[in-house]
C-alpha cells in the first residue's frame, strides 16, 4: 500500500510539474499554467517516475564549455556534465596527474559534434569521440565509466569543425578542417592564400584496446572552409562527403566575399581507396605525417556542385543518398551515390577545380526539395519510415518530408532558430523513429530571466505519428551544437572500479598506507574511506602529511569504499588543488609545496553523515 501511495503521489507531482512546464506555446511564447487534457497526455509521455529510467541517453556537445552534456530522454533531465577539453573543479578533472597531462596547458576547448563509435553502421556503446575546434584536439570518452580516456593534438589542421564523424565500423574518425592555414611556410601572406594555404583532412585511427589515437593519413585539400561531413553506409560505406564554403578563397569579410559564387562543392571521397594508396606508399611525407595531394592522383577524390554556402550534409539510413542543406538557398538537394559512382566510372565531369574532377551536377542530383516559405535549411535526421526531418534556422521550424518523393508531409515551429536536430539513432542505419530533439540557438522569453545571458533550448517532439507533436522545451547551457541519442540498452557503464592488485599505486588495506621520502620527493600512498583519510596508518596522526617547503609531493589516493555512488574528494586549502576518487578508483595528485604553513585538507564530495569530519592537514615546514 505504501508503494502504491508513493507511485500515485509521484504521478500527481508529475502532472503538477507538467502544468507548469509542458504547456503548448500556441501563438505566444508565454507558457500557461492551465493544462488541457491534451497537455496532460504530453506530460505522461515525458514523465519518468522515481525509480525508473529514461529510454535514451542524449549526448550533447558543450560547445565552448569544452564539455559533454548528458541528458535523459524523454524527461530531458540533465544527468551529468562530463569534462573533456576543459578543467572541471567539481570532479578534479585537469587537477589530478593523469587528466592534467592530457589537457596540457589548455584552459578551454570548443566541442561541436560528438560521434558515437559504430559497428555495422549503428551505435555500439563503446566510445564517444569529440573534437576541439579551437585547439585542434581530438578526444575519446570511454562509455564504460563516462570518462575521457585520451586526447591528441593533431598537427597541420585549422579547426576540425566538420568532425567528428566515424565510418560504419569505426575504422576511421575523420577530421576535416574549418580554416585553411599556411602549408609549407607558416608565415605565408594572406595575399598568397590560394597558392600557399591548405585545408587538411585527417583520418584518425582509434585503438579501442589501448584507448589511444593515431593518425592514419592526411589529405591536403584546397584552401576552402570545410563545414559538415558524414560517412557513407552500406553501398556507400567506403565513401564520405564533406560540405565546403568559401571556394571563392576570400580572406576578409567572408559574410559577403564567401557568398559570391552560385555554387560551392561537396567533397566526395573514397576513404578505403585512399587507405590502400597510403598502404602502397603512394603519399608524401609532410611534417611527419602521410599526406595525400588530390591534384596528384586521378581517383578517390571528387567534387559535387551544390547550392552556395551549404551547411549540413547527411546520408540516408540505407546509404543510397546524401542530402545537402543550402543555408543561403531555401532548398535541400538530394544526391544519389549510385549516380555519382556511375558519373565517376563514365568520367561524366563538368570540369575540374584545383586539380579535382567536378561531377556533372545534373547527373548526380536526384531532386531539390523546396518547402514553400521555409528558409535556412541546416541539418537532416531520419526516422524508420523513409522520412527526413530538416531544421530551418531562419523560419524557426522543422520540416518533415519523404526522402523518396520529396513530398513535404508536416511542419512545426520550434522556439527558436534551430541548429542541429537529433533523432533516436537518427544518423545510423536503423533510426528508431520515436523522438526528435531540436537544438535551438535562441530562447527569447521562454524561461525565467537570468539577465541578458539567455539559455539555449531544446524542443522535444514525438514523431511516431503522421504529424510531429511538440512535447516539451528545456533550457540548456551553451552550446549544444550537435548531439546523438542512443538507447539505454546499448550502453553498459559500470559503477565501481574493480580492485586492481597489479596497480603499484593502489592501496586497499590501510596497513599498507605509507609516506615515503626520496630526497626532496615525498610520495604518499593513502586511502579514502567513510569518513577519514589515512595517509600512514602507523603515524600518530594518520591523516596528516608533513613535508618541507620546496618538496615535490605526489599523493596517490585509493577510494576503498566499493559502494556505488560513494565518491570522495580531496581538497587542499590555499593550494588551489582538488580532485575526486570514485568508488574503488586510484588517482594521483602532484604538486610542489611552494609555501609553508598548516593547510587543512578535507573531503570535497559529500560522502556520509560524518563527511564534515573527513579532514586532515598538510604541514609544510619552512625552509631552514
Amino acid at each position: 500500500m505504501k508503494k502504491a501511495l508513493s507511485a500515485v503521489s509521484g504521478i500527481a507531482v508529475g502532472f503538477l510539474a507538467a502544468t507548469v512546464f509542458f504547456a503548448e506555446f500556441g501563438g505566444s511564447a508565454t507558457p500557461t499554467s492551465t493544462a488541457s487534457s491534451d497537455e496532460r497526455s504530453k506530460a505522461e509521455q515525458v514523465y519518468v517516475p522515481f525509480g525508473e529510467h529514461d529510454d535514451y541517453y542524449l549526448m550533447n556537445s558543450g560547445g565552448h564549455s569544452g564539455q559533454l552534456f548528458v541528458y535523459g530522454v524523454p524527461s530531458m533531465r540533465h544527468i551529468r556534465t562530463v569534462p573533456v577539453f576543459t578543467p572541471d573543479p567539481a570532479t578534479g578533472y585537469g587537477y589530478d596527474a593523469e587528466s592534467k597531462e592530457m589537457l596540457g596547458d589548455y584552459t578551454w576547448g570548443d566541442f561541436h559534434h560528438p560521434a558515437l563509435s559504430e559497428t555495422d553502421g549503428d551505435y555500439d556503446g563503446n566510445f564517444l569521440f569529440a573534437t576541439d575546434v579551437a585547439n585542434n584536439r581530438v578526444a575519446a570518452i570511454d562509455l564504460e565509466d563516462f570518462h575521457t580516456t585520451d586526447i591528441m593534438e593533431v598537427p597541420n589542421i585549422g579547426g576540425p569543425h566538420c568532425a567528428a564523424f566515424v565510418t560504419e565500423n569505426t575504422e576511421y574518425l575523420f577530421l576535416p578542417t574549418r580554416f585553411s592555414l599556411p602549408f609549407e611556410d607558416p608565415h605565408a601572406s594572406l595575399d598568397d592564400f590560394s597558392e600557399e594555404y591548405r585545408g587538411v583532412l585527417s583520418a584518425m585511427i582509434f585503438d579501442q584496446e589501448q584507448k589511444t589515437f593515431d593518425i592514419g593519413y592526411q589529405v591536403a585539400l584546397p584552401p576552402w572552409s570545410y563545414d559538415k561531413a558524414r560517412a557513407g553506409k552500406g553501398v556507400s560505406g567506403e565513401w564520405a562527403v564533406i560540405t565546403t564554403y568559401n571556394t571563392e578563397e576570400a580572406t576578409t569579410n567572408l559574410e559577403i566575399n564567401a557568398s559570391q559564387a552560385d555554387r560551392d562543392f561537396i567533397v566526395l571521397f573514397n576513404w578505403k581507396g585512399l587507405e590502400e594508396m597510403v598502404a602502397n606508399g603512394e603519399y608524401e611525407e609532410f611534417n611527419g605525417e602521410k599526406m595525400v595531394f588530390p591534384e596528384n592522383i586521378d581517383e578517390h577524390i571528387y567534387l559535387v556542385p551544390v547550392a552556395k554556402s551549404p551547411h549540413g550534409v547527411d546520408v540516408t539510413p540505407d546509404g543510397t543518398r546524401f542530402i545537402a542543406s543550402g543555408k543561403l538557398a531555401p532548398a535541400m538537394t538530394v544526391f544519389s551515390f549510385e549516380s555519382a559512382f556511375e558519373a565517376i566510372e563514365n568520367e561524366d565531369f563538368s570540369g575540374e577545380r584545383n586539380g579535382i574532377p567536378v561531377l556533372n551536377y545534373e547527373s548526380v542530383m536526384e531532386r531539390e526539395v523546396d518547402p514553400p516559405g521555409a528558409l535556412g535549411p541546416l541539418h537532416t535526421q531520419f526516422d524508420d519510415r523513409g522520412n527526413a526531418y530538416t531544421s530551418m534556422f531562419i523560419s524557426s521550424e522543422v520540416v518533415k518530408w519523404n526522402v523518396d518523393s520529396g513530398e513535404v508531409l508536416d511542419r512545426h515551429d520550434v522556439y527558436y532558430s534551430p541548429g542541429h536536430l537529433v533523432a533516436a539513432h537518427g544518423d545510423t542505419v536503423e533510426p528508431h523513429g520515436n523522438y526528435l530533439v531540436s537544438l535551438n540557438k535562441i530562447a527569447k522569453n521562454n524561461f525565467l530571466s537570468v539577465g541578458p545571458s539567455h539559455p539555449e533550448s531544446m524542443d522535444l517532439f514525438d514523431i511516431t505519428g503522421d504529424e510531429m507533436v511538440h512535447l516539451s522545451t528545456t533550457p540548456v547551457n551553451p552550446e549544444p551544437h550537435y548531439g546523438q541519442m542512443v538507447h539505454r540498452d546499448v550502453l553498459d557503464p559500470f559503477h565501481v572500479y574493480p580492485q586492481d592488485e597489479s596497480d603499484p599505486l593502489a592501496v586497499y588495506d590501510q596497513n599498507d598506507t605509507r609516506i615515503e621520502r626520496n630526497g626532496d620527493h615525498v610520495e604518499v600512498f593513502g586511502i579514502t574511506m567513510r569518513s577519514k583519510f589515512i595517509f600512514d596508518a602507523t603515524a600518530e596522526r594518520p591523516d596528516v602529511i608533513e613535508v618541507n617547503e620546496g618538496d615535490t609531493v605526489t599523493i596517490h589516493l585509493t577510494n576503498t569504499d566499493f559502494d556505488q555512488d560513494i565518491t570522495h574528494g580531496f581538497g587542499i586549502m590555499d593550494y588551489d588543488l582538488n580532485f575526486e576518487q570514485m568508488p574503488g578508483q586510484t588517482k594521483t595528485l602532484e604538486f610542489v609545496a611552494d609555501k609553508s604553513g598548516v593547510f587543512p585538507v578535507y573531503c570535497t564530495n559529500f560522502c556520509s553523515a560524518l563527511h564534515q569530519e573527513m579532514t586532515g592537514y598538510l604541514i609544510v615546514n619552512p625552509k631552514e
Side-chain angles (χ1 to χ4, degrees):
M1 175 61 76
K2 187 175 181 180
K3 289 183 177 180
L5 287 173
S6 177
V8 170
S9 62
I11 293 172
V13 169
F15 284 164
L16 179 60
T19 302
V20 178
F21 294 113
F22 301 101
E24 181 59 74
F25 284 88
S28 170
T30 304
T32 172
S33 60
T34 303
S36 68
S37 57
D38 177 55
E39 287 153 2
R40 287 196 295 272
S41 176
K42 293 176 185 178
E44 288 178 303
Q45 291 187 61
V46 301
Y47 178 59
V48 179
F50 178 77
E52 296 185 15
H53 295 159
D54 283 291
D55 295 327
Y56 291 90
Y57 291 90
L58 174 58
M59 310 287 200
N60 271 1
S61 68
H64 41 286
S65 78
Q67 317 296 44
L68 172 73
F69 301 148
V70 182
Y71 293 82
V73 177
S75 75
M76 302 304 286
R77 295 177 296 193
H78 178 209
I79 298 173
R80 189 70 171 167
T81 294
V82 179
V84 183
F85 292 119
T86 303
D88 178 41
T91 59
Y93 181 79
Y95 294 76
D96 68 89
E98 182 182 9
S99 59
K100 188 175 182 179
E101 182 179 359
M102 277 199 301
L103 285 179
D105 295 327
Y106 291 106
T107 60
W108 78 291
D110 193 6
F111 173 13
H112 276 238
H113 306 111
L116 289 157
S117 58
E118 297 182 8
T119 298
D120 296 331
D122 203 355
Y123 309 142
D124 59 24
N126 294 331
F127 293 90
L128 184 143
F129 304 109
T131 54
D132 172 11
V133 176
N135 301 303
N136 297 323
R137 293 179 291 173
V138 58
I141 295 106
D142 188 341
L143 296 179
E144 281 197 327
D145 61 359
F146 278 74
H147 278 71
T148 303
T149 187
D150 191 30
I151 295 178
M152 180 179 180
E153 192 166 347
V154 183
N156 305 324
I157 66 173
H161 181 263
C162 288
F165 71 99
V166 300
T167 52
E168 59 185 353
N169 285 297
T170 320
E171 297 93 340
Y172 287 98
L173 175 73
F174 284 103
L175 278 62
T177 185
R178 176 179 179 180
F179 297 96
S180 289
L181 293 174
F183 197 63
E184 295 185 341
D185 175 7
H187 304 292
S189 170
L190 286 170
D191 294 337
D192 300 320
F193 187 82
S194 296
E195 297 78 22
E196 300 294 336
Y197 283 59
R198 291 276 188 164
V200 172
L201 161 73
S202 301
M204 306 298 300
I205 300 169
F206 184 72
D207 185 327
Q208 298 198 25
E209 292 295 324
Q210 299 300 317
K211 302 180 182 179
T212 56
F213 284 107
D214 197 3
I215 301 175
Y217 59 87
Q218 293 186 320
V219 182
L221 292 169
W224 307 335
S225 294
Y226 299 89
D227 202 358
K228 293 293 182 297
R230 288 289 185 190
K233 305 178 180 77
V235 295
S236 59
E238 296 182 356
W239 294 77
V241 286
I242 312 169
T243 53
T244 71
Y245 62 98
N246 193 26
T247 57
E248 296 87 346
E249 300 174 10
T251 57
T252 185
N253 201 5
L254 264 60
E255 183 182 32
I256 297 173
N257 295 327
S259 306
Q260 299 302 302
D262 285 338
R263 293 197 181 280
D264 288 292
F265 297 108
I266 289 174
V267 179
L268 171 67
F269 68 98
N270 186 317
W271 60 265
K272 189 71 173 179
L274 294 172
E275 177 189 69
E276 292 170 357
M277 279 184 51
V278 171
N280 293 331
E282 299 176 60
Y283 62 86
E284 296 181 30
E285 288 279 352
F286 180 82
N287 195 21
E289 303 303 330
K290 302 180 178 85
M291 190 71 71
V292 175
F293 291 83
E295 65 270 30
N296 295 339
I297 62 177
D298 57 6
E299 57 183 346
H300 304 317
I301 303 178
Y302 305 90
L303 300 177
V304 178
V306 67
K308 69 167 63 179
S309 300
H311 193 50
V313 61
D314 297 281
V315 174
T316 54
D318 62 6
T320 61
R321 302 176 175 102
F322 53 101
I323 299 166
S325 296
K327 192 169 72 176
L328 293 185
M332 293 80 77
T333 308
V334 182
F335 297 95
S336 164
F337 271 111
E338 182 180 1
S339 297
F341 300 155
E342 290 178 2
I344 292 169
E345 184 175 353
N346 297 328
E347 297 186 355
D348 182 9
F349 305 140
S350 60
E352 63 85 22
R353 180 72 189 274
N354 295 58
I356 306 173
V358 179
L359 303 187
N360 191 324
Y361 177 77
E362 297 297 337
S363 300
V364 182
M365 188 273 295
E366 188 173 293
R367 67 173 50 85
E368 294 175 346
V369 179
D370 186 5
L375 296 173
L378 293 185
H379 303 283
T380 299
Q381 293 272 286
F382 304 93
D383 66 18
D384 56 346
R385 302 176 296 281
N387 300 316
Y389 301 78
T390 301
S391 58
M392 298 287 173
F393 180 81
I394 297 174
S395 53
S396 282
E397 62 181 322
V398 176
V399 174
K400 174 183 176 181
W401 53 284
N402 182 269
V403 174
D404 288 334
S405 67
E407 179 187 4
V408 174
L409 303 173
D410 189 26
R411 301 166 69 159
H412 201 295
D413 291 343
V414 299
Y415 311 98
Y416 304 89
S417 300
H420 277 278
L421 300 176
V422 186
H425 291 237
D427 57 6
T428 74
V429 298
E430 295 185 0
H432 289 189
N434 45 16
Y435 293 114
L436 176 81
V437 173
S438 174
L439 304 176
N440 307 322
K441 300 298 183 185
I442 296 173
K444 295 288 189 184
N445 58 348
N446 284 347
F447 310 105
L448 287 173
S449 173
V450 290
S453 181
H454 293 253
E456 298 185 20
S457 71
M458 299 187 290
D459 284 311
L460 174 67
F461 290 90
D462 174 352
I463 58 171
T464 56
D466 292 336
E467 296 181 353
M468 294 177 280
V469 178
H470 182 265
L471 296 177
S472 71
T473 187
T474 305
V476 296
N477 286 325
E479 182 179 3
H481 292 279
Y482 185 47
Q484 289 181 313
M485 196 188 308
V486 54
H487 195 273
R488 65 185 186 192
D489 289 347
V490 177
L491 275 63
D492 187 21
F494 66 81
H495 299 120
V496 176
Y497 283 88
Q499 190 162 325
D500 183 3
E501 297 293 352
S502 66
D503 184 353
L505 307 180
V507 174
Y508 298 106
D509 187 331
Q510 59 180 288
N511 293 322
D512 294 328
T513 59
R514 61 199 185 276
I515 299 176
E516 298 177 350
R517 172 175 286 279
N518 183 11
D520 59 358
H521 183 204
V522 177
E523 196 165 13
V524 180
F525 297 84
I527 64 172
T528 53
M529 59 185 293
R530 286 174 290 188
S531 300
K532 64 178 71 175
F533 298 104
I534 301 178
F535 307 122
D536 182 354
T538 64
E540 179 182 1
R541 296 184 176 87
D543 47 11
V544 171
I545 300 170
E546 186 170 354
V547 301
N548 298 324
E549 186 177 0
D551 282 344
T552 296
V553 182
T554 303
I555 301 174
H556 313 288
L557 287 181
T558 300
N559 182 345
T560 59
D561 283 322
F562 289 88
D563 293 338
Q564 179 174 327
D565 207 12
I566 304 302
T567 297
H568 295 296
F570 178 78
I572 307 177
M573 287 183 64
D574 295 328
Y575 255 87
D576 194 28
L577 293 170
N578 173 51
F579 74 131
E580 71 172 19
Q581 312 90 49
M582 285 159 286
Q585 188 181 35
T586 300
K587 293 176 75 175
T588 297
L589 183 72
E590 186 166 288
F591 61 99
V592 175
D594 56 3
K595 53 187 174 184
S596 61
V598 177
F599 304 94
V601 302
Y602 67 102
C603 179
T604 52
N605 201 92
F606 199 99
C607 58
S608 71
L610 296 177
H611 164 76
Q612 195 74 359
E613 282 75 12
M614 190 169 173
T615 63
Y617 290 96
L618 168 70
I619 299 174
V620 182
N621 300 315
K623 287 182 178 178
E624 294 182 356

